[in-house]
Amino acid sequence: MRVLLVTSRESKRWVIPKGNLDKGASPHAGAAIEAEEEAGVRGLVCPTSLGWYRYRKRRRNGASLMIDVEVFPLAVSQELDSWKEQEQRERRWFSLAEAAAAVEEPDLGELIRSFGPSEMKAAMRRTDLFSAVAEKSKVNRMLGWFQRLLPKTGNFFEMFEAHAVTVTAGADALARLLQDGNRDHIQEVIEREHDADEIIREVLRTVRETFLTPFDRGAIISLIGAMDDAIDEMQAAVQAIDLYDVREFEQEMKDMAAIIVDASRITAEAMPLLRDLGANGGRLHELTERLVRMESHADEIHAAGLKRAFKELGPTDMLRFTVQREIYKHLERIVDAFEDVANEIDGIVVDHA
């Protein structure tokens, strides 16, 4: 996980892209515009904000005013060679710790740090799963990387984390599909789903063969099942897109995909924390609370998208409306599955922390 910062135009201090909201524009859409203009990057931006920070901005007339900034996570999929403010700013990728230290605003630093607690970074070093995913855009169905990394004792935590990697990769591929329409992303989601199936089969086999499990057997099966539902619905979504040859996607669909990307990131962060529920119960509650809030936000976007589709297409093109409704249905089910993951984690914390 790395963070892109830019320098401010006048003081040249490290900041995130930001700006005033245009009248009638949604906050997250405005954030995406600022990211492209100031940092030269594009990607899907999650409509659910990370939070707020405050800083004092000096106006040209000499006034020094407090400004509140709402922050939205944007998963970068494209870096432009030229952009609007290229000559006025420098851009640079930082590690989480470096970025948090580089910005002057303490609250912004905390928001950046929230992306990568020490437990998550330790898990990444322990399994190197993320490196394996990054090196291969498409995972072999034989799951060689997973088989090499899986402990011979069948550690449940390792399998949870491995499954979270497949879910995250599938979510990223789904988001790229809705952004650029490239059909290669369909095959990648399908391959990630096959990888997840291999992992869940291993979990179920290990549950049967293990005398002592870290949680109740039912909780293990329910948690991995909820995660698997998410990537199963990702596969169903891309298969529907392929079947109906959909090439263009509504903004509400892209917004829901951005929520899915961030929900998968949160799920991947939560899995290593299950290793020590006593120490990590508070952080797990923060993560599950955000997942539930994101699901509620996705419901609103889903309803708005369906309403607009029916208004625009219902009277004249019912077939196209039916196709859009099918895609919205799968996107909603993906987010619902992440809420189920949150509920399962909360149940484990309550029972075992």
Side-chain angles (χ1 to χ4, degrees):
M1 184 76 70
R2 298 182 71 80
V3 176
L4 185 68
L5 299 180
V6 296
T7 54
S8 62
R9 283 184 291 194
E10 296 179 1
S11 65
K12 300 302 179 183
R13 60 192 179 90
W14 290 108
V15 297
I16 59 173
K18 59 185 182 296
N20 296 320
L21 186 64
D22 293 335
K23 187 176 181 180
S26 62
H28 71 285
I33 292 172
E34 296 296 336
E36 180 170 342
E37 291 182 352
E38 296 187 6
V41 292
R42 293 173 180 165
L44 289 183
V45 57
C46 180
T48 306
S49 69
L50 289 171
W52 300 76
Y53 74 94
R54 172 172 286 190
Y55 79 106
R56 187 168 294 279
K57 182 178 179 66
R58 183 172 295 278
R59 302 289 191 182
R60 291 182 178 178
N61 62 8
S64 183
L65 304 178
M66 294 301 296
I67 304 295
D68 290 320
V69 183
E70 189 174 14
V71 182
F72 296 87
L74 183 146
V76 175
S77 59
Q78 182 182 7
E79 290 186 67
L80 304 179
D81 294 328
S82 60
W83 62 97
K84 183 177 180 180
E85 300 187 11
Q86 181 177 8
E87 302 302 323
Q88 304 171 21
R89 303 178 187 272
E90 179 186 352
R91 70 179 179 187
R92 184 187 303 172
W93 288 98
F94 291 81
S95 69
L96 294 174
E98 291 169 343
V103 298
E104 293 184 359
E105 299 82 7
D107 290 343
L108 176 58
E110 287 303 313
L111 288 176
I112 292 173
R113 289 188 186 94
S114 73
F115 271 85
S118 59
E119 293 85 354
M120 182 61 177
K121 287 183 280 190
M124 290 167 66
R125 288 193 299 269
R126 181 172 55 250
T127 64
D128 203 31
L129 287 170
F130 287 95
S131 296
V133 171
E135 290 170 4
K136 296 179 68 176
S137 61
K138 295 184 178 180
V139 178
N140 189 310
R141 280 195 60 182
M142 296 303 293
L143 256 183
W145 61 268
F146 172 66
Q147 292 169 348
R148 289 193 301 272
L149 294 167
L150 186 66
K152 298 300 183 287
T153 57
N155 188 307
F156 289 104
F157 298 113
E158 298 286 347
M159 290 187 280
F160 289 152
E161 292 160 21
H163 197 287
V165 170
T166 67
V167 172
T168 302
D172 287 343
L174 174 63
R176 291 194 299 272
L177 172 64
L178 267 65
Q179 187 174 13
D180 61 30
N182 190 305
R183 313 315 269 185
D184 286 345
H185 304 317
I186 293 175
Q187 183 60 31
E188 181 174 359
V189 172
I190 293 171
E191 290 177 358
R192 303 295 189 181
E193 193 277 336
H194 292 327
D195 295 339
D197 281 348
E198 294 289 340
I199 297 171
I200 197 169
R201 278 193 285 270
E202 184 67 20
V203 170
L204 296 177
R205 182 192 65 78
T206 308
V207 166
R208 292 193 301 269
E209 297 177 356
T210 304
F211 181 69
L212 292 176
T213 58
F215 319 126
D216 178 80
R217 283 173 167 78
I220 291 174
I221 294 172
S222 296
L223 175 58
I224 199 73
M227 292 169 61
D228 208 53
D229 287 343
I231 198 163
D232 283 348
E233 284 298 333
M234 291 178 201
Q235 176 177 260
V238 300
Q239 287 176 332
I241 290 169
D242 190 39
L243 174 65
Y244 299 119
D245 197 26
V246 181
R247 301 284 175 168
E248 297 181 357
F249 303 93
E250 304 303 316
Q251 185 59 49
E252 290 86 354
M253 295 178 184
K254 295 179 181 179
D255 287 347
M256 293 183 73
I259 286 179
I260 290 166
V261 169
D262 207 39
S264 69
R265 174 190 67 81
I266 291 171
T267 300
E269 179 182 331
M271 291 303 104
L273 303 184
L274 294 174
R275 293 171 177 269
D276 190 345
L277 293 171
N280 301 321
R283 177 60 176 169
L284 283 167
H285 178 68
E286 292 175 359
L287 297 177
T288 57
E289 187 179 57
R290 178 168 171 80
L291 284 174
V292 171
R293 183 158 58 95
M294 292 166 72
E295 190 277 336
S296 178
H297 196 171
D299 282 346
E300 296 172 4
I301 296 171
H302 172 253
L306 273 183
K307 184 176 182 179
R308 184 162 73 90
F310 183 74
K311 184 177 179 180
E312 294 177 357
L313 303 174
T316 58
D317 196 344
M318 184 56 69
L319 178 60
R320 188 178 168 197
F321 167 74
T322 302
V323 170
Q324 288 198 10
R325 183 176 61 183
E326 176 80 3
I327 296 172
Y328 275 120
K329 177 188 71 175
H330 291 300
L331 294 175
E332 182 188 31
R333 287 179 176 176
I334 296 169
V335 183
D336 287 346
F338 282 116
E339 184 185 31
D340 292 340
V341 171
N343 293 335
E344 294 299 333
I345 292 172
D346 278 339
I348 291 171
V349 172
V350 169
D351 290 342
H352 299 277

Short mmCIF file of all heavy atoms in Angstrom, two decimals, residues 50-100:
data_model
loop_
_atom_site.label_atom_id
_atom_site.label_comp_id
_atom_site.label_asym_id
_atom_site.label_seq_id
_atom_site.Cartn_x
_atom_site.Cartn_y
_atom_site.Cartn_z
N LEU A 50 -13.34 8.76 4.06
CA LEU A 50 -12.52 8.22 5.16
C LEU A 50 -12.70 9.04 6.42
O LEU A 50 -12.54 8.54 7.53
CB LEU A 50 -11.04 8.25 4.76
CG LEU A 50 -10.57 7.27 3.70
CD1 LEU A 50 -9.14 7.60 3.30
CD2 LEU A 50 -10.67 5.85 4.21
N GLY A 51 -13.00 10.32 6.25
CA GLY A 51 -13.14 11.21 7.39
C GLY A 51 -12.78 12.63 6.99
O GLY A 51 -12.75 12.97 5.81
N TRP A 52 -12.48 13.45 7.99
CA TRP A 52 -12.22 14.87 7.77
C TRP A 52 -10.90 15.26 8.42
O TRP A 52 -10.44 14.61 9.36
CB TRP A 52 -13.31 15.73 8.40
CG TRP A 52 -14.69 15.50 7.88
CD1 TRP A 52 -15.52 14.45 8.18
CD2 TRP A 52 -15.42 16.34 6.99
NE1 TRP A 52 -16.71 14.57 7.52
CE2 TRP A 52 -16.68 15.73 6.79
CE3 TRP A 52 -15.14 17.53 6.35
CZ2 TRP A 52 -17.65 16.30 5.97
CZ3 TRP A 52 -16.11 18.10 5.54
CH2 TRP A 52 -17.35 17.48 5.35
N TYR A 53 -10.30 16.33 7.90
CA TYR A 53 -9.24 16.99 8.64
C TYR A 53 -9.38 18.50 8.43
O TYR A 53 -10.09 18.96 7.53
CB TYR A 53 -7.85 16.49 8.23
CG TYR A 53 -7.36 16.97 6.89
CD1 TYR A 53 -6.55 18.11 6.79
CD2 TYR A 53 -7.63 16.27 5.73
CE1 TYR A 53 -6.06 18.55 5.57
CE2 TYR A 53 -7.15 16.69 4.50
CZ TYR A 53 -6.38 17.83 4.42
OH TYR A 53 -5.90 18.26 3.22
N ARG A 54 -8.71 19.27 9.24
CA ARG A 54 -8.83 20.73 9.21
C ARG A 54 -7.43 21.33 9.12
O ARG A 54 -6.49 20.85 9.74
CB ARG A 54 -9.56 21.22 10.46
CG ARG A 54 -9.58 22.73 10.63
CD ARG A 54 -10.48 23.14 11.78
NE ARG A 54 -11.89 22.98 11.41
CZ ARG A 54 -12.90 23.44 12.14
NH1 ARG A 54 -12.65 24.06 13.29
NH2 ARG A 54 -14.15 23.29 11.75
N TYR A 55 -7.33 22.38 8.32
CA TYR A 55 -6.06 23.10 8.26
C TYR A 55 -6.34 24.58 8.04
O TYR A 55 -7.46 24.97 7.64
CB TYR A 55 -5.16 22.53 7.16
CG TYR A 55 -5.50 22.98 5.75
CD1 TYR A 55 -4.71 23.92 5.09
CD2 TYR A 55 -6.61 22.46 5.09
CE1 TYR A 55 -5.01 24.32 3.80
CE2 TYR A 55 -6.91 22.87 3.81
CZ TYR A 55 -6.11 23.80 3.16
OH TYR A 55 -6.43 24.20 1.89
N ARG A 56 -5.35 25.41 8.29
CA ARG A 56 -5.50 26.85 8.12
C ARG A 56 -4.89 27.27 6.78
O ARG A 56 -3.73 27.01 6.50
CB ARG A 56 -4.82 27.60 9.27
CG ARG A 56 -5.08 29.10 9.27
CD ARG A 56 -4.64 29.75 10.57
NE ARG A 56 -5.44 29.29 11.70
CZ ARG A 56 -6.64 29.78 12.00
NH1 ARG A 56 -7.18 30.73 11.25
NH2 ARG A 56 -7.30 29.32 13.04
N LYS A 57 -5.70 27.94 5.97
CA LYS A 57 -5.28 28.34 4.64
C LYS A 57 -5.20 29.87 4.59
O LYS A 57 -6.14 30.57 4.96
CB LYS A 57 -6.28 27.85 3.58
CG LYS A 57 -5.88 28.20 2.14
CD LYS A 57 -6.90 27.63 1.17
CE LYS A 57 -6.55 27.97 -0.27
NZ LYS A 57 -5.30 27.32 -0.71
N ARG A 58 -4.08 30.35 4.09
CA ARG A 58 -3.89 31.79 3.96
C ARG A 58 -4.35 32.25 2.58
O ARG A 58 -3.91 31.74 1.56
CB ARG A 58 -2.42 32.17 4.17
CG ARG A 58 -2.17 33.69 4.11
CD ARG A 58 -0.74 34.04 4.50
NE ARG A 58 -0.50 33.70 5.91
CZ ARG A 58 -0.86 34.49 6.92
NH1 ARG A 58 -1.49 35.63 6.69
NH2 ARG A 58 -0.60 34.12 8.16
N ARG A 59 -5.27 33.21 2.59
CA ARG A 59 -5.78 33.76 1.35
C ARG A 59 -4.83 34.83 0.81
O ARG A 59 -3.99 35.37 1.53
CB ARG A 59 -7.17 34.39 1.59
CG ARG A 59 -8.21 33.43 2.15
CD ARG A 59 -8.65 32.43 1.12
NE ARG A 59 -9.82 31.67 1.58
CZ ARG A 59 -10.39 30.69 0.88
NH1 ARG A 59 -9.89 30.36 -0.29
NH2 ARG A 59 -11.44 30.05 1.36
N ARG A 60 -5.01 35.16 -0.46
CA ARG A 60 -4.16 36.17 -1.06
C ARG A 60 -4.42 37.56 -0.48
O ARG A 60 -3.55 38.44 -0.56
CB ARG A 60 -4.39 36.19 -2.58
CG ARG A 60 -3.86 34.93 -3.27
CD ARG A 60 -4.05 35.00 -4.77
NE ARG A 60 -3.50 33.82 -5.42
CZ ARG A 60 -3.56 33.59 -6.73
NH1 ARG A 60 -4.15 34.48 -7.51
NH2 ARG A 60 -3.04 32.48 -7.24
N ASN A 61 -5.60 37.74 0.10
CA ASN A 61 -5.90 39.04 0.71
C ASN A 61 -5.35 39.17 2.12
O ASN A 61 -5.58 40.16 2.80
CB ASN A 61 -7.42 39.30 0.72
CG ASN A 61 -8.17 38.25 1.55
OD1 ASN A 61 -7.56 37.44 2.24
ND2 ASN A 61 -9.49 38.29 1.47
N GLY A 62 -4.61 38.13 2.57
CA GLY A 62 -4.00 38.18 3.89
C GLY A 62 -4.76 37.45 4.96
O GLY A 62 -4.22 37.19 6.05
N ALA A 63 -6.03 37.10 4.70
CA ALA A 63 -6.83 36.38 5.70
C ALA A 63 -6.31 34.96 5.85
O ALA A 63 -5.83 34.34 4.89
CB ALA A 63 -8.30 36.37 5.28
N SER A 64 -6.40 34.44 7.07
CA SER A 64 -6.00 33.06 7.35
C SER A 64 -7.20 32.33 7.93
O SER A 64 -7.61 32.58 9.06
CB SER A 64 -4.83 33.04 8.35
OG SER A 64 -4.39 31.73 8.58
N LEU A 65 -7.79 31.42 7.14
CA LEU A 65 -9.07 30.80 7.49
C LEU A 65 -8.91 29.30 7.67
O LEU A 65 -8.10 28.65 7.02
CB LEU A 65 -10.10 31.07 6.38
CG LEU A 65 -10.35 32.54 6.02
CD1 LEU A 65 -11.34 32.64 4.88
CD2 LEU A 65 -10.84 33.32 7.23
N MET A 66 -9.74 28.77 8.58
CA MET A 66 -9.77 27.33 8.79
C MET A 66 -10.60 26.66 7.70
O MET A 66 -11.72 27.10 7.39
CB MET A 66 -10.36 26.99 10.16
CG MET A 66 -9.51 27.44 11.33
SD MET A 66 -7.84 26.73 11.33
CE MET A 66 -8.20 25.00 11.53
N ILE A 67 -10.06 25.61 7.11
CA ILE A 67 -10.72 24.89 6.03
C ILE A 67 -10.95 23.44 6.47
O ILE A 67 -10.02 22.79 6.97
CB ILE A 67 -9.88 24.91 4.74
CG1 ILE A 67 -9.56 26.35 4.33
CG2 ILE A 67 -10.59 24.16 3.62
CD1 ILE A 67 -10.77 27.16 3.94
N ASP A 68 -12.15 22.93 6.29
CA ASP A 68 -12.46 21.53 6.54
C ASP A 68 -12.38 20.76 5.23
O ASP A 68 -12.97 21.17 4.22
CB ASP A 68 -13.86 21.37 7.14
CG ASP A 68 -13.93 21.90 8.56
OD1 ASP A 68 -12.97 21.66 9.31
OD2 ASP A 68 -14.94 22.53 8.92
N VAL A 69 -11.67 19.64 5.24
CA VAL A 69 -11.46 18.83 4.04
C VAL A 69 -12.01 17.43 4.28
O VAL A 69 -11.61 16.75 5.23
CB VAL A 69 -9.96 18.74 3.67
CG1 VAL A 69 -9.79 17.95 2.37
CG2 VAL A 69 -9.36 20.13 3.54
N GLU A 70 -12.93 17.01 3.43
CA GLU A 70 -13.43 15.63 3.47
C GLU A 70 -12.57 14.79 2.53
O GLU A 70 -12.33 15.18 1.39
CB GLU A 70 -14.90 15.58 3.04
CG GLU A 70 -15.55 14.22 3.27
CD GLU A 70 -17.04 14.23 2.96
OE1 GLU A 70 -17.52 15.20 2.33
OE2 GLU A 70 -17.72 13.27 3.34
N VAL A 71 -12.13 13.62 3.00
CA VAL A 71 -11.14 12.82 2.28
C VAL A 71 -11.79 11.54 1.75
O VAL A 71 -12.48 10.83 2.48
CB VAL A 71 -9.96 12.45 3.20
CG1 VAL A 71 -8.92 11.65 2.43
CG2 VAL A 71 -9.34 13.71 3.78
N PHE A 72 -11.54 11.25 0.46
CA PHE A 72 -12.09 10.05 -0.18
C PHE A 72 -10.93 9.21 -0.74
O PHE A 72 -10.01 9.75 -1.35
CB PHE A 72 -13.02 10.44 -1.33
CG PHE A 72 -14.24 11.19 -0.90
CD1 PHE A 72 -14.20 12.57 -0.78
CD2 PHE A 72 -15.42 10.53 -0.59
CE1 PHE A 72 -15.33 13.28 -0.37
CE2 PHE A 72 -16.54 11.22 -0.17
CZ PHE A 72 -16.49 12.61 -0.06
N PRO A 73 -10.97 7.90 -0.55
CA PRO A 73 -9.92 7.04 -1.11
C PRO A 73 -10.15 6.80 -2.60
O PRO A 73 -11.26 6.47 -3.02
CB PRO A 73 -10.06 5.74 -0.31
CG PRO A 73 -11.50 5.71 0.09
CD PRO A 73 -11.94 7.14 0.26
N LEU A 74 -9.11 6.97 -3.39
CA LEU A 74 -9.17 6.73 -4.83
C LEU A 74 -8.13 5.67 -5.18
O LEU A 74 -6.94 5.84 -4.91
CB LEU A 74 -8.91 8.03 -5.61
CG LEU A 74 -9.01 7.94 -7.13
CD1 LEU A 74 -9.56 9.25 -7.70
CD2 LEU A 74 -7.67 7.63 -7.79
N ALA A 75 -8.59 4.58 -5.78
CA ALA A 75 -7.68 3.50 -6.19
C ALA A 75 -7.14 3.83 -7.58
O ALA A 75 -7.85 3.78 -8.58
CB ALA A 75 -8.43 2.16 -6.22
N VAL A 76 -5.87 4.18 -7.64
CA VAL A 76 -5.27 4.66 -8.89
C VAL A 76 -5.11 3.51 -9.88
O VAL A 76 -4.52 2.48 -9.56
CB VAL A 76 -3.90 5.32 -8.63
CG1 VAL A 76 -3.22 5.69 -9.94
CG2 VAL A 76 -4.07 6.54 -7.74
N SER A 77 -5.64 3.71 -11.08
CA SER A 77 -5.48 2.72 -12.14
C SER A 77 -4.70 3.27 -13.33
O SER A 77 -4.27 2.51 -14.20
CB SER A 77 -6.85 2.23 -12.63
OG SER A 77 -7.62 3.31 -13.13
N GLN A 78 -4.50 4.60 -13.36
CA GLN A 78 -3.80 5.19 -14.49
C GLN A 78 -3.05 6.44 -14.03
O GLN A 78 -3.62 7.31 -13.35
CB GLN A 78 -4.78 5.56 -15.61
CG GLN A 78 -4.12 6.14 -16.85
CD GLN A 78 -5.13 6.54 -17.92
OE1 GLN A 78 -6.34 6.50 -17.68
NE2 GLN A 78 -4.66 6.90 -19.08
N GLU A 79 -1.78 6.53 -14.39
CA GLU A 79 -0.98 7.73 -14.16
C GLU A 79 -0.75 8.41 -15.51
O GLU A 79 -0.19 7.81 -16.42
CB GLU A 79 0.36 7.38 -13.51
CG GLU A 79 0.25 6.91 -12.08
CD GLU A 79 1.63 6.72 -11.44
OE1 GLU A 79 2.34 7.73 -11.25
OE2 GLU A 79 1.99 5.56 -11.18
N LEU A 80 -1.18 9.65 -15.63
CA LEU A 80 -1.07 10.38 -16.88
C LEU A 80 0.36 10.92 -17.06
O LEU A 80 1.01 11.30 -16.09
CB LEU A 80 -2.06 11.54 -16.90
CG LEU A 80 -3.53 11.17 -16.69
CD1 LEU A 80 -4.40 12.43 -16.71
CD2 LEU A 80 -4.01 10.18 -17.72
N ASP A 81 0.79 10.97 -18.32
CA ASP A 81 2.11 11.54 -18.62
C ASP A 81 2.08 13.06 -18.57
O ASP A 81 3.09 13.70 -18.32
CB ASP A 81 2.58 11.06 -20.00
CG ASP A 81 2.84 9.57 -20.03
OD1 ASP A 81 3.26 9.02 -18.99
OD2 ASP A 81 2.63 8.94 -21.08
N SER A 82 0.93 13.64 -18.84
CA SER A 82 0.78 15.09 -18.74
C SER A 82 -0.59 15.40 -18.14
O SER A 82 -1.55 14.67 -18.38
CB SER A 82 0.92 15.75 -20.12
OG SER A 82 -0.06 15.26 -21.01
N TRP A 83 -0.64 16.46 -17.36
CA TRP A 83 -1.90 16.84 -16.70
C TRP A 83 -1.90 18.33 -16.44
O TRP A 83 -0.88 19.02 -16.64
CB TRP A 83 -2.12 16.04 -15.42
CG TRP A 83 -1.09 16.23 -14.34
CD1 TRP A 83 -1.16 17.05 -13.27
CD2 TRP A 83 0.18 15.57 -14.23
NE1 TRP A 83 -0.04 16.96 -12.49
CE2 TRP A 83 0.80 16.04 -13.06
CE3 TRP A 83 0.84 14.62 -15.02
CZ2 TRP A 83 2.06 15.60 -12.66
CZ3 TRP A 83 2.10 14.19 -14.61
CH2 TRP A 83 2.69 14.67 -13.45
N LYS A 84 -3.03 18.83 -15.99
CA LYS A 84 -3.29 20.27 -15.94
C LYS A 84 -2.24 21.04 -15.13
O LYS A 84 -1.73 22.06 -15.58
CB LYS A 84 -4.69 20.52 -15.38
CG LYS A 84 -5.08 21.99 -15.35
CD LYS A 84 -6.51 22.15 -14.86
CE LYS A 84 -6.91 23.63 -14.82
NZ LYS A 84 -8.31 23.81 -14.34
N GLU A 85 -1.91 20.58 -13.93
CA GLU A 85 -1.03 21.33 -13.05
C GLU A 85 0.36 20.71 -12.95
O GLU A 85 1.05 20.85 -11.94
CB GLU A 85 -1.67 21.46 -11.67
CG GLU A 85 -3.00 22.20 -11.70
CD GLU A 85 -3.58 22.48 -10.33
OE1 GLU A 85 -2.86 22.32 -9.32
OE2 GLU A 85 -4.76 22.87 -10.26
N GLN A 86 0.78 20.05 -14.01
CA GLN A 86 2.06 19.35 -14.04
C GLN A 86 3.23 20.28 -13.77
O GLN A 86 4.19 19.92 -13.08
CB GLN A 86 2.24 18.66 -15.39
CG GLN A 86 3.52 17.87 -15.53
CD GLN A 86 3.60 17.15 -16.87
OE1 GLN A 86 2.76 17.37 -17.74
NE2 GLN A 86 4.58 16.29 -17.03
N GLU A 87 3.16 21.49 -14.31
CA GLU A 87 4.27 22.43 -14.16
C GLU A 87 4.28 23.13 -12.81
O GLU A 87 5.25 23.79 -12.45
CB GLU A 87 4.21 23.48 -15.29
CG GLU A 87 4.25 22.91 -16.69
CD GLU A 87 5.51 22.09 -16.94
OE1 GLU A 87 6.58 22.49 -16.41
OE2 GLU A 87 5.43 21.06 -17.63
N GLN A 88 3.21 22.98 -12.04
CA GLN A 88 3.08 23.71 -10.79
C GLN A 88 3.32 22.83 -9.56
O GLN A 88 3.50 23.34 -8.45
CB GLN A 88 1.68 24.33 -10.68
CG GLN A 88 1.33 25.23 -11.85
CD GLN A 88 -0.12 25.66 -11.84
OE1 GLN A 88 -0.79 25.63 -10.80
NE2 GLN A 88 -0.64 26.05 -12.99
N ARG A 89 3.33 21.52 -9.74
CA ARG A 89 3.42 20.61 -8.60
C ARG A 89 4.37 19.46 -8.90
O ARG A 89 4.59 19.09 -10.06
CB ARG A 89 2.05 20.04 -8.24
CG ARG A 89 0.98 21.07 -7.92
CD ARG A 89 -0.35 20.37 -7.63
NE ARG A 89 -1.44 21.31 -7.48
CZ ARG A 89 -1.79 21.88 -6.33
NH1 ARG A 89 -1.10 21.61 -5.23
NH2 ARG A 89 -2.81 22.71 -6.27
N GLU A 90 4.88 18.88 -7.84
CA GLU A 90 5.60 17.62 -7.91
C GLU A 90 4.72 16.53 -7.33
O GLU A 90 3.97 16.78 -6.37
CB GLU A 90 6.91 17.71 -7.11
CG GLU A 90 7.72 16.41 -7.10
CD GLU A 90 8.92 16.47 -6.19
OE1 GLU A 90 9.22 17.58 -5.68
OE2 GLU A 90 9.55 15.42 -5.95
N ARG A 91 4.75 15.35 -7.90
CA ARG A 91 4.00 14.23 -7.33
C ARG A 91 4.97 13.12 -6.98
O ARG A 91 5.98 12.92 -7.65
CB ARG A 91 2.93 13.71 -8.29
CG ARG A 91 3.47 13.00 -9.51
CD ARG A 91 2.36 12.48 -10.41
NE ARG A 91 2.91 11.81 -11.59
CZ ARG A 91 2.18 11.37 -12.62
NH1 ARG A 91 0.88 11.55 -12.61
NH2 ARG A 91 2.76 10.77 -13.64
N ARG A 92 4.66 12.38 -5.92
CA ARG A 92 5.56 11.32 -5.47
C ARG A 92 4.76 10.28 -4.68
O ARG A 92 3.89 10.61 -3.90
CB ARG A 92 6.67 11.89 -4.59
CG ARG A 92 7.71 10.85 -4.16
CD ARG A 92 8.69 11.43 -3.15
NE ARG A 92 9.37 12.63 -3.67
CZ ARG A 92 10.15 13.40 -2.91
NH1 ARG A 92 10.33 13.10 -1.63
NH2 ARG A 92 10.72 14.46 -3.44
N TRP A 93 5.12 9.00 -4.91
CA TRP A 93 4.53 7.91 -4.13
C TRP A 93 5.33 7.72 -2.84
O TRP A 93 6.55 7.68 -2.86
CB TRP A 93 4.53 6.62 -4.94
CG TRP A 93 3.54 6.60 -6.06
CD1 TRP A 93 3.77 6.87 -7.38
CD2 TRP A 93 2.14 6.31 -5.95
NE1 TRP A 93 2.62 6.77 -8.10
CE2 TRP A 93 1.60 6.42 -7.26
CE3 TRP A 93 1.30 5.96 -4.90
CZ2 TRP A 93 0.25 6.20 -7.52
CZ3 TRP A 93 -0.03 5.73 -5.16
CH2 TRP A 93 -0.55 5.85 -6.45
N PHE A 94 4.61 7.55 -1.73
CA PHE A 94 5.21 7.37 -0.42
C PHE A 94 4.70 6.07 0.20
O PHE A 94 3.57 5.64 -0.07
CB PHE A 94 4.82 8.51 0.53
CG PHE A 94 5.41 9.85 0.19
CD1 PHE A 94 4.83 10.65 -0.78
CD2 PHE A 94 6.54 10.32 0.87
CE1 PHE A 94 5.36 11.90 -1.08
CE2 PHE A 94 7.07 11.56 0.58
CZ PHE A 94 6.48 12.36 -0.40
N SER A 95 5.50 5.49 1.07
CA SER A 95 4.96 4.46 1.95
C SER A 95 4.00 5.13 2.92
O SER A 95 3.99 6.37 3.06
CB SER A 95 6.08 3.76 2.74
OG SER A 95 6.63 4.66 3.69
N LEU A 96 3.17 4.34 3.59
CA LEU A 96 2.20 4.92 4.52
C LEU A 96 2.88 5.74 5.60
O LEU A 96 2.46 6.87 5.91
CB LEU A 96 1.35 3.82 5.15
CG LEU A 96 0.43 3.06 4.18
CD1 LEU A 96 -0.23 1.90 4.91
CD2 LEU A 96 -0.61 3.98 3.60
N ALA A 97 3.92 5.19 6.18
CA ALA A 97 4.62 5.89 7.26
C ALA A 97 5.25 7.17 6.75
O ALA A 97 5.20 8.22 7.42
CB ALA A 97 5.66 4.97 7.89
N GLU A 98 5.85 7.12 5.56
CA GLU A 98 6.50 8.30 5.00
C GLU A 98 5.47 9.39 4.68
O GLU A 98 5.71 10.58 4.92
CB GLU A 98 7.26 7.92 3.74
CG GLU A 98 8.48 7.05 3.98
CD GLU A 98 9.05 6.48 2.69
OE1 GLU A 98 8.33 6.47 1.67
OE2 GLU A 98 10.20 6.01 2.72
N ALA A 99 4.33 8.97 4.12
CA ALA A 99 3.30 9.94 3.76
C ALA A 99 2.72 10.62 5.01
O ALA A 99 2.50 11.83 5.03
CB ALA A 99 2.19 9.26 2.97
N ALA A 100 2.46 9.81 6.04
CA ALA A 100 1.91 10.36 7.27
C ALA A 100 2.87 11.37 7.90
O ALA A 100 2.45 12.38 8.48
CB ALA A 100 1.59 9.24 8.26
#
